[in-house]
Amino acid sequence: MYRIETKRVLNPSVVEMEINAPLVARKARPGQFIILRVDEEGERIPLTVAGTDKEKGAVKIIFQIVGATTEKLGRLNAGDSIRDFVGPLGVPTHTDGIKKVCIVGGGVGCAIAMPVAQEFHRLGAEVTSVIGFRNKELVILEDEFRACSDRLIVMTDDGSYARHGNVTVPLKEMLEAGERFDMIITIGPLIMMKFVTLTAKPFGVPVTVSMNPIMIDGTGMCGGCRLSLVRDGKRVTKFACVDGPDFNGYEVDFDEAISRGRMYFDFERRAHEEVCNLFKGVN
Amino acid sequence: MPIDPKKHEMPTQSPEVRAHNFSEVALGYSEETAVLEANRCLNCRNMPCVCACPVNIRIPEFINRIKARDFDGAYDVISMTSSLPAVCGRVCPQETQCESRCTMGIKFEPVAIGRLERFVADRHNAFGTGEVSRPEPNGHRVAIVGSGPSGLTCAGDLAKKGYAVTVYEALHTAGGVLVYGIPEFRLPKKIVAQEVETLKKLGVDIETNVVIGKTLTVDELFEMGFEAVFIGSGAGLPNFMNIPGESLNGVYSANEFLTRSNLMKAYLDNPVTPIMKGGRVAVVGGGNVAMDAARTALRLGAEHVYIVYRRSMEELPARREEVEHAMEEGIDFRLLNNPVEILGYNNPDDPRDPKNGFVTGMRCVRMELGEPDARGRRRPVPIDGSEFTLPVDTVIMAIGTSPNPLIKDTTKGLEVNSHGGLIVNEDGLTSRENVWAGGDAVTGAATVISAMGAGKTAAQAIDNALRG
Ligand SMILES: Cc1cc2nc3c(=O)[nH]c(=O)nc-3n(C[C@H](O)[C@H](O)[C@H](O)COP(=O)(O)OP(=O)(O)OC[C@H]3O[C@@H](n4cnc5c(N)ncnc54)[C@H](O)[C@@H]3O)c2cc1C
Ligand SMILES: Cc1cc2nc3c(=O)[nH]c(=O)nc-3n(C[C@H](O)[C@H](O)[C@H](O)COP(=O)(O)OP(=O)(O)OC[C@H]3O[C@@H](n4cnc5c(N)ncnc54)[C@H](O)[C@@H]3O)c2cc1C
Ligand code: SF4
Ligand code: SF4
Ligand code: FES
């Protein structure tokens, strides 16, 4: 069992927790993830390592409540325990030779992007962060990003806070103004990452995207997390859990990934409703 | 007494009933039937059957004990060489191993060695006390990577000799393929759980949720004070055919499909893990994995299940009993057929159509058997112009697996062959000092009993090396 050390509610649907898992805390690097199971009957879900405290042996996770499992997890409190917690999985984000980076995060993707931004800041790179949310209520981690960014641009889709518009707007402005980055790293909904890649393309700036397909084992055993890259005109299959989650944005077949992401849509919606109904009876 | 030419039948659930449940298909011998079957054994002096068992179980000896109704004695004979008899009695391909060389089999059906072994083990598990005495510790520590049959066997043998053994398992449950791959209706999970419990009683420490190569490396295991490491990490990496349409929704690797059903319990009535069920399912392949996937799909509620295999019934590598059971259950065998493309739904007028991206069918080509290859197997060749479409909603690829490169990639000096299998000597020693390996991680996908045998060999070699 893995104890929940702390819990913080970041916005109505985003929760941060520190989980006691010393072996994972010792090893995890930015860009890697863990897989957890809340209880014996639970599903395995992947979440990014949002930070570690090696002394306490704790791993920080930040998750958005979107479905049955995250709903159950979000209802636990400090002092409770979760059944399984394995990691760190995946390849850490490449940082070598990157002196000037632009981090583009969307929604809960910002939670995944934050440790990456912090790592670049720690390594002394110049960090520009563009973080976008649907509305003011959903803004998370603004202070954390400010602390590790040389420049921070906050966007909301509806203009209810900070700048109005989506993240590609300021990105395009910067690129058009002649600004160049060694790398743009984007993490968020697939559709957003697709458009960030398209925005950067005319300027020839490299783009790294963080793919988050449905996963089970996280060790390369099931192939459920597979995605297609188009490399030199040829399609190659990769497993996001072991080959990623970071990939070259110009190679990823986003349309296929978006389609695969819809595989269990109906099932998940029903499962979430069931968990919510269950808790309605309790509360 | 005249010789009974046929094996005694093992009772099974009727095909109509079992096609809709996940309970075990075969129900096992009663004491009476077991004794009758044991009496068919000729007690051959040269014991051909023993040589054909990968761990050389003393077959006539344990069968003699059954004849004498000394069932505990029979168990003792088996457990001298095998640590998982309840498993092997169920899943060994007996027709190509022990029973293939049985003298009775020359004129009649061979003695049902596997069924007798299963009987003895089940009886022991039902009536045995479950007491195990912890051996005196010998002060040495060994780490085992992976909790499949090879790792569990190696751990058990070493623990019995007094080693302090820790098994590291990447998944949340111990058992390897025995829990995530082979379905409940063929190998009930509680049998594996019982074996794992016995190991724990022997003092073996089982650490789940640890991925060697990620959470800890092999080098760190040595730093932690382990003196030897056994790698039994299996061959879990699924192969795909690399044909168009393989990333459509509804295409699974058998590993994913079976893991969702077995390990993640999607077979329960109200599962938390989703799986595509219902509709028409095509399983590509002809091994045990294909049979298990097909029969699992049927039990999950598929309307119609095809096995699509590119060779003929004769070459079908699955255990005979499973093929027979699958046929009885109504699995539709499409032999000498090979998939060339998977077709998906695409509504160009409405990109938001929820059916977009889901499988609708599989293009196949008919095959014929050509000249025998180097191994004497006749190679299937496509027949020109014979393409046709099988309308299906789900496709499951069961065309083999390879060893996972995770450990090799994170361990300096560990050599592998061109198939990704770890290279070992006859004792299971790898190219790294004090690192042994065995099972599917070395051979590629093989059998439970051979993995177990490799675990045993390595345990002996580790004991020799550490206490020499
Ligand atoms: C490598 C990786 C890292 C991740 N890191 C984080 C993280 O740090 N914080 C976080 O909040 N989420 C993260 N995710 C996504 C997270 O795993 C899913 O939100 C979670 O599995 C949903 O589980 P659920 O049972 O609550 O919802 P479900 O019932 O499974 O799904 C509910 C809704 O979420 C969508 N969904 C399901 N799985 C995913 C997914 N993998 N990606 C995007 N949408 C999905 C479904 O389509 C559905 O609409 C990560 C995913 C991956 C693969
Ligand atoms: C569906 C199916 C049906 C089968 N049917 C039969 C049958 O009827 N008869 C038969 O004889 N054989 C059958 N087999 C084959 C048989 O199950 C395998 O040959 C056998 O299980 C191999 O044992 P193993 O110990 O080498 O590895 P596995 O059983 O594969 O176990 C390896 C274990 O190591 C773990 N692991 C992997 N990497 C790591 C890591 N880096 N760190 C920690 N842990 C790790 C895995 O999670 C797994 O639990 C079947 C296989 C499948 C998939
Ligand atoms: S272990 Fe397998 S091969 Fe050996 S006797 Fe038993 S059933 Fe036969
Ligand atoms: S070969 Fe057959 S008949 Fe002879 S001892 Fe073995 S099991 Fe008995
Ligand atoms: S999650 Fe199973 S292979 Fe990646």
Side-chain angles (χ1 to χ4, degrees), chain B residues 52-55 57 59 88-89 92 94 97-98 113-114 117 449:
Chain B
C53 164
V55 294
I57 288 185
I59 294 166
C88 295
C92 261
Q94 288 94 7
Q97 297 181 346
C98 54
I113 302 169
E117 187 176 326
I449 187 72

Side-chain angles (χ1 to χ4, degrees), chain A residues 2 23-24 26-27 32 37 40-44 69 72 83-92 214-217 219-226 228 235 237 239 241-242 256 259-264 267-268 271 274, chain B residues 168 170-173 180 208-211 214-217 220 224 236-238 240 242 246-253 255-256 259-260 263-265 268 270-276 351-354 356-358 404 406:
Chain A
Y2 301 80
L23 288 182
V24 184
R26 213 163 57 87
K27 269 289 170 64
Q32 289 189 295
R37 220 165 53 122
E40 189 49 47
E41 301 304 318
E43 194 177 4
R44 292 170 68 96
T69 307
K72 261 199 281 181
R83 186 73 187 77
D84 298 293
F85 194 87
V86 57
L89 302 169
V91 182
I214 293 162
M215 291 186 179
I216 302 186
D217 56 298
T219 63
M221 183 268 275
C222 73
C225 64
R226 66 191 185 277
S228 300
R235 293 181 79 77
T237 300
F239 291 177
C241 68
V242 284
E256 178 187 292
S259 174
R260 282 184 68 76
R262 282 199 298 256
M263 184 136 162
Y264 298 111
F267 180 98
E268 282 151 355
E274 259 167 46
Chain B
Y168 292 103
L171 293 171
H172 59 253
T173 311
Y180 80 70
T208 50
N209 297 325
V210 178
V211 184
K214 288 285 180 188
T215 318
L216 293 168
T217 61
E220 283 168 321
M224 287 160 67
L237 205 70
F240 286 92
N242 296 317
E246 260 180 320
S247 33
L248 289 164
N249 289 344
V251 183
Y252 289 101
S253 74
N255 270 2
E256 181 182 359
T259 301
R260 281 180 182 272
L263 186 70
M264 300 312 303
K265 305 179 189 164
L268 298 176
N270 199 4
V272 293
T273 296
I275 195 163
M276 303 244 318
R352 294 181 162 272
D353 187 331
N356 280 345
F358 281 81
N404 193 315
L406 201 58

Side-chain angles (χ1 to χ4, degrees), chain A residues 33-69:
Chain A
F33 64 96
I34 56 92
I35 286 189
L36 62 77
R37 220 165 53 122
V38 175
D39 53 33
E40 189 49 47
E41 301 304 318
E43 194 177 4
R44 292 170 68 96
I45 65 157
L47 294 172
T48 303
V49 174
T52 53
D53 185 331
K54 292 189 176 51
E55 243 145 66
K56 277 201 320 201
V59 177
K60 190 189 286 174
I61 51 173
I62 299 176
F63 59 94
Q64 179 159 36
I65 295 167
V66 291
T69 307

Side-chain angles (χ1 to χ4, degrees), chain B residues 78-355:
Chain B
I78 296 175
S79 45
M80 282 192 289
T81 44
S82 168
S83 42
L84 303 169
V87 176
C88 295
R90 284 175 167 80
V91 305
C92 261
Q94 288 94 7
E95 66 272 15
T96 60
Q97 297 181 346
C98 54
E99 295 178 18
S100 72
R101 302 277 288 282
C102 173
T103 315
M104 275 291 277
I106 299 172
K107 273 205 182 141
F108 310 111
E109 280 189 5
V111 175
I113 302 169
R115 292 174 186 176
L116 288 173
E117 187 176 326
R118 165 184 169 153
F119 163 77
V120 170
D122 285 358
R123 195 184 171 287
H124 173 86
N125 289 342
F127 295 110
T129 58
E131 289 295 311
V132 279
S133 52
R134 261 192 208 213
E136 206 48 42
N138 69 13
H140 295 286
R141 293 177 68 203
V142 179
I144 310 276
V145 181
S147 63
S150 67
L152 292 181
T153 304
C154 191
D157 281 17
L158 288 169
K160 283 180 200 154
K161 295 181 202 285
Y163 287 85
V165 180
T166 305
V167 177
Y168 292 103
E169 168 56 49
L171 293 171
H172 59 253
T173 311
V177 168
L178 307 182
V179 297
Y180 80 70
I182 304 181
E184 180 76 16
F185 58 82
R186 206 147 72 75
L187 178 64
K189 301 287 161 280
K190 71 170 196 295
I191 291 177
V192 185
Q194 212 160 20
E195 300 294 349
V196 173
E197 275 317 304
T198 310
L199 285 187
K200 285 188 185 159
K201 284 187 197 152
L202 271 171
V204 174
D205 178 19
I206 299 189
E207 299 283 339
T208 50
N209 297 325
V210 178
V211 184
I212 300 300
K214 288 285 180 188
T215 318
L216 293 168
T217 61
V218 169
D219 293 292
E220 283 168 321
L221 292 176
F222 287 110
E223 284 162 25
M224 287 160 67
F226 291 104
E227 296 152 84
V229 174
F230 174 80
I231 302 174
S233 53
L237 205 70
N239 299 339
F240 286 92
M241 292 189 77
N242 296 317
I243 56 174
E246 260 180 320
S247 33
L248 289 164
N249 289 344
V251 183
Y252 289 101
S253 74
N255 270 2
E256 181 182 359
F257 191 76
L258 290 169
T259 301
R260 281 180 182 272
S261 177
N262 295 333
L263 186 70
M264 300 312 303
K265 305 179 189 164
Y267 72 87
L268 298 176
D269 282 341
N270 199 4
V272 293
T273 296
I275 195 163
M276 303 244 318
K277 43 173 121 175
R280 291 150 302 178
V281 179
V283 179
V284 182
N288 285 320
V289 184
M291 298 305 133
D292 285 346
R295 297 170 72 198
T296 296
L298 187 74
R299 283 160 173 77
L300 287 171
E303 273 160 43
H304 197 95
V305 183
Y306 301 97
I307 289 269
V308 177
Y309 179 57
R310 65 200 176 110
R311 300 176 196 255
S312 70
M313 190 50 97
E314 217 169 293
E315 292 86 15
L316 205 76
R319 249 184 120 228
R320 210 31 47 184
E321 189 174 81
E322 310 312 330
V323 178
E324 282 160 16
H325 284 162
M327 289 177 132
E328 286 166 14
E329 288 163 15
I331 306 286
D332 188 349
F333 283 70
R334 296 298 177 99
L335 303 173
L336 288 166
N337 281 180
N338 201 31
V340 290
E341 181 181 2
I342 301 163
L343 309 172
Y345 190 86
N346 180 23
N347 180 352
D349 301 327
D350 180 6
R352 294 181 162 272
D353 187 331
K355 289 201 294 255

Side-chain angles (χ1 to χ4, degrees), chain B residues 388-407:
Chain B
F388 67 100
T389 298
L390 207 56
V392 290
D393 312 288
T394 300
V395 174
I396 302 170
M397 290 294 171
I399 54 164
T401 53
S402 328
N404 193 315
L406 201 58
I407 294 178

